[in-house]
Amino acid sequence: MQSSPLPENHRSGFIALIGRPNVGKSTLVNQLVGDKVAITSPVAQTTRNRLRAILTTPTAQLILVDTPGIHKPHHLLGERLVQSARAAIGEVDQVLLLLEGHQPPGRGDAFIVNLLRQQRLPVQVVLNKWDLVPVDRKPEADAAYRALLADTEWPVHHCSALDGAGCPELVSAISALMPEGPRLYPAEMVSDQPERLLMAELIREQVLMHTREEVPHSVAVSINRVEEMPARGKNKARTAVLATVLVERKSQKGILIGKGGAMLKTIGQGARLQMQTLIDGPVYLELFVKVVPDWRSKPQRLAELGYAEERV
Ligand code: GDP
Ligand code: MG
């Protein structure tokens, strides 16, 4: 395919998605980029690592930085998440503040609005989950958020990250406020995350989906080996992945493995299917579960798992 030359006023740059856990940041990233690059979940705080998703249009390239939700830190990992969100603000050209349109603004929202008021980047607001607001309640919901945002001049967009309503308009509005610049990534690239990290996130997503009892924070996944296996006999060529799910307690290990290994099998099958889509080929996945007491509070373990300390 021959690529046409970029327009003279082509725009590009970085956009941080900021908002409380569970407002729909990862869902929005996936909706905008049109590909599954961010892990989403009905359970809060699933996004641990910062993810850059890349949206290329004929006139702009928008690099979306999906950050963990800003919240009050409870322990070391929590602090890292907040640091990471704050660090993201320092590195971008624009901020997209996501709020949950179907719920009244809360104290957490006021906290984030104040944090953003103190810096000079352009901010645009997404009132997300607008599909969940009944038509007759929309004016009221809108007014409540306008009050929260009083004396800011931030544009407000009503969107549904889930069904895509309002998203094309949002892309135009974001593009219009970006600085002029060239494409920074190849047009076909949708994410800058190494595949291994995405694989780990897919496994973690399956764990969260199937084990409701346990807190998401106490599960981590490390990918031990990824190997291309050539076709042999009746077996087609495939990618073999060895991964370990780390938990903090023996009881959690028991839940993850399940009766006769049934739970681990379900998790493995779900993750394997997602991985096959990710790498576009057959995958053989072997999953282990390991108990590492208190891994969340050990800086060295966190670093090994890829939750590196961010400088703010
Ligand atoms: P994050 O923590 O901000 O990244 O939130 P997620 O993207 O993981 O979304 C949290 C939950 O909200 C998931 O169950 C999503 O399916 C759901 N969700 C996100 N956006 C919307 C939306 O616009 N409408 C509805 N109805 N649900 C949404
Ligand atoms: Mg997320």
Side-chain angles (χ1 to χ4, degrees), residues 134-268:
V135 178
D136 57 330
R137 304 289 299 270
K138 286 190 195 298
E140 189 187 326
D142 188 63
Y145 277 97
R146 302 269 176 192
L148 175 77
L149 301 167
D151 75 47
T152 73
E153 283 169 13
W154 304 338
V156 176
H157 308 275
H158 304 88
C159 299
S160 169
L162 201 61
D163 66 24
C167 290
E169 296 83 352
L170 180 64
V171 170
S172 309
I174 299 171
S175 305
L177 291 190
M178 295 308 282
E180 286 188 11
R183 276 187 190 156
L184 303 168
Y185 292 94
E188 62 281 356
M189 203 167 149
V190 294
S191 161
D192 77 337
Q193 286 268 335
E195 245 163 33
R196 276 176 172 242
L197 217 52
L198 289 175
M199 286 179 173
E201 288 290 89
L202 290 175
I203 296 171
R204 212 159 58 82
E205 184 174 53
Q206 291 295 318
V207 170
L208 300 184
M209 210 147 95
H210 295 290
T211 62
R212 293 300 176 96
E213 296 98 314
E214 295 305 310
V215 263
H217 261 171
S218 56
V219 176
V221 175
S222 101
I223 302 288
N224 311 109
R225 214 158 73 207
V226 180
E227 222 171 287
E228 296 306 326
M229 294 165 71
R232 188 178 289 164
K234 267 188 265 170
N235 288 332
K236 287 185 186 160
R238 56 197 169 154
T239 306
V241 180
L242 251 69
T244 307
V245 182
L246 289 105
V247 292
E248 288 193 311
R249 288 195 299 275
K250 228 174 146 187
S251 60
Q252 295 168 330
K253 180 173 174 174
I255 292 170
L256 269 187
I257 292 178
K259 262 208 188 105
M263 175 59 91
L264 197 61
K265 197 170 165 194
T266 307
I267 290 167

Side-chain angles (χ1 to χ4, degrees), residues 13-79:
F14 293 79
I15 299 112
L17 276 74
I18 304 281
R20 278 190 293 113
N22 233 25
V23 294
K25 297 178 293 295
S26 301
T27 308
L28 186 64
V29 165
N30 290 336
Q31 178 64 245
L32 295 184
V33 172
D35 217 320
K36 179 152 182 149
V37 291
I39 142 169
T40 60
S41 153
V43 190
Q45 292 162 26
T46 48
T47 310
R48 282 225 188 106
N49 290 290
R50 273 206 268 152
L51 174 93
R52 291 191 183 136
I54 305 155
L55 171 60
T56 302
T57 73
T59 55
Q61 188 168 63
L62 310 178
I63 299 139
L64 306 165
V65 186
D66 183 13
T67 64
I70 296 183
H71 63 112
K72 290 210 181 103
H74 293 298
H75 46 65
L76 189 56
L77 179 58
E79 280 171 34

Side-chain angles (χ1 to χ4, degrees), residues 52-120:
R52 291 191 183 136
I54 305 155
L55 171 60
T56 302
T57 73
T59 55
Q61 188 168 63
L62 310 178
I63 299 139
L64 306 165
V65 186
D66 183 13
T67 64
I70 296 183
H71 63 112
K72 290 210 181 103
H74 293 298
H75 46 65
L76 189 56
L77 179 58
E79 280 171 34
R80 293 262 165 98
L81 296 180
V82 175
Q83 270 181 18
S84 164
R86 290 195 175 180
I89 301 176
E91 288 169 8
V92 297
D93 303 292
Q94 187 178 150
V95 172
L96 215 52
L97 168 60
L98 270 83
L99 298 166
E100 254 175 340
H102 72 302
Q103 279 181 2
R107 283 210 303 197
D109 296 323
F111 173 77
I112 298 174
V113 167
N114 276 331
L115 195 77
L116 291 178
R117 270 204 185 110
Q118 294 159 23
Q119 50 82 52
R120 293 147 87 192

